Amino acid sequence: MNDFHLDVSPLKEPLAFIKLLEWLFSVCVFATCGTYKGATTVLVSCGEHVNRTVTADFAYPFRLNEVKFTSPDPTQCGDTWTDVYLVGNFSTAAQFFVTWAVLIFLYCSAALVLYLGYMHLYQNISAIPMLDYVFTLCAIFLWLVSTAAWAKALVDVKVSTGPDIVGEMSSCKLPGFSCLFASVSSMRSLNMSVVFGLVNIFLWGGNAWFVHKETSLHKPNGNSPNSGLYPPASGI
């Protein structure tokens, strides 16, 4: 009974097929968010140094308050340039989002092994589908929370690395300094990570019904009078 029996036919049914999609889109989440690297650049003019580029390189997990702009020149504009850091620490939301995606990837991997190799256990031990159902409900909630938190953090990351950063640079307010925002790396992959988070919410929400159908909450208890093994009681 405990032997592994590979059978890919469950992939033709929604239960396993949607689980495969959940596995795939969890990979998309941590691939688009967890590997991101970018930079924001500002053009600085001070004295004889005109339009020197200063750059701040940032990446996941977006601890921007630890990211410092480079100096306009080796002398730091005659020692008048002070170190400038980006604003904000968004690591909590980013790491929560990516870590949850990794955990989902591992869970879906284990679930697919169960569906494709041990479906006889899944069908015969009622506790397994019930645990699967409870986890699915928790996953819907946590995908919703983590995606919402990361979407809000991403908006703040864009603000902290965008044109408004010039107003936060104290050296740019000194006489003889001129600062102009130049560019920031594209955040298309980060936008896509939010989209993938939303897709995961809908996938897990849709799959909840198919997992529920495998539980004892949906299937009638074989020992109950109304299970079909016994006719319903007739009125007197």
Side-chain angles (χ1 to χ4, degrees), residues 108-204:
C108 289
S109 298
L112 286 172
V113 171
L114 179 64
Y115 293 164
L116 304 183
Y118 298 97
M119 182 54 79
H120 53 290
L121 295 179
Y122 192 86
Q123 294 174 334
N124 294 328
I125 302 178
S126 60
I128 297 179
M130 183 61 69
L131 290 174
D132 194 16
Y133 181 58
V134 171
F135 184 89
T136 299
L137 296 181
C138 293
I140 297 169
F141 174 74
L142 289 175
W143 269 124
L144 179 62
V145 172
S146 62
T147 301
W150 169 235
K152 174 60 171 63
L154 179 55
V155 172
D156 294 335
V157 168
K158 291 179 178 179
V159 172
S160 297
T161 58
D164 292 345
I165 191 61
V166 174
E168 302 294 331
M169 303 174 75
S170 58
S171 295
C172 294
K173 301 175 183 178
L174 297 175
F177 274 84
S178 175
C179 300
L180 179 66
F181 180 79
S183 65
V184 64
S185 300
S186 171
M187 298 187 186
R188 182 178 303 174
S189 66
L190 298 182
N191 294 334
M192 289 303 301
S193 70
V194 175
V195 174
F196 290 138
L198 295 173
V199 171
N200 274 292
I201 294 173
F202 287 108
L203 282 176
W204 284 84

Side-chain angles (χ1 to χ4, degrees), residues 6-199:
L6 180 61
D7 181 10
V8 297
S9 61
L11 289 175
K12 299 178 182 179
E13 301 296 330
L15 180 68
F17 180 71
I18 296 178
K19 189 64 68 182
L20 179 62
L21 293 179
E22 292 169 348
W23 178 88
L24 175 62
F25 280 99
S26 68
V27 174
C28 292
V29 166
F30 60 76
T32 52
C33 182
T35 61
Y36 181 83
K37 294 182 179 180
T40 183
T41 58
V42 176
L43 298 178
V44 177
S45 299
C46 56
E48 61 183 15
H49 305 291
V50 180
N51 288 341
R52 294 297 181 90
T53 300
V54 297
T55 304
D57 297 316
F58 59 94
Y60 171 85
F62 306 100
R63 294 188 179 95
L64 301 186
N65 58 332
E66 298 179 1
V67 177
K68 182 174 65 175
F69 276 96
T70 57
S71 175
D73 77 295
T75 66
Q76 294 190 328
C77 292
D79 292 329
T80 57
W81 174 266
T82 56
D83 291 340
V84 179
Y85 290 83
L86 294 176
V87 179
N89 183 348
F90 309 103
S91 60
T92 300
Q95 289 179 316
F96 177 32
F97 188 56
V98 171
T99 301
W100 176 240
V102 172
L103 291 176
I104 286 294
F105 167 79
L106 296 175
Y107 179 81
C108 289
S109 298
L112 286 172
V113 171
L114 179 64
Y115 293 164
L116 304 183
Y118 298 97
M119 182 54 79
H120 53 290
L121 295 179
Y122 192 86
Q123 294 174 334
N124 294 328
I125 302 178
S126 60
I128 297 179
M130 183 61 69
L131 290 174
D132 194 16
Y133 181 58
V134 171
F135 184 89
T136 299
L137 296 181
C138 293
I140 297 169
F141 174 74
L142 289 175
W143 269 124
L144 179 62
V145 172
S146 62
T147 301
W150 169 235
K152 174 60 171 63
L154 179 55
V155 172
D156 294 335
V157 168
K158 291 179 178 179
V159 172
S160 297
T161 58
D164 292 345
I165 191 61
V166 174
E168 302 294 331
M169 303 174 75
S170 58
S171 295
C172 294
K173 301 175 183 178
L174 297 175
F177 274 84
S178 175
C179 300
L180 179 66
F181 180 79
S183 65
V184 64
S185 300
S186 171
M187 298 187 186
R188 182 178 303 174
S189 66
L190 298 182
N191 294 334
M192 289 303 301
S193 70
V194 175
V195 174
F196 290 138
L198 295 173
V199 171

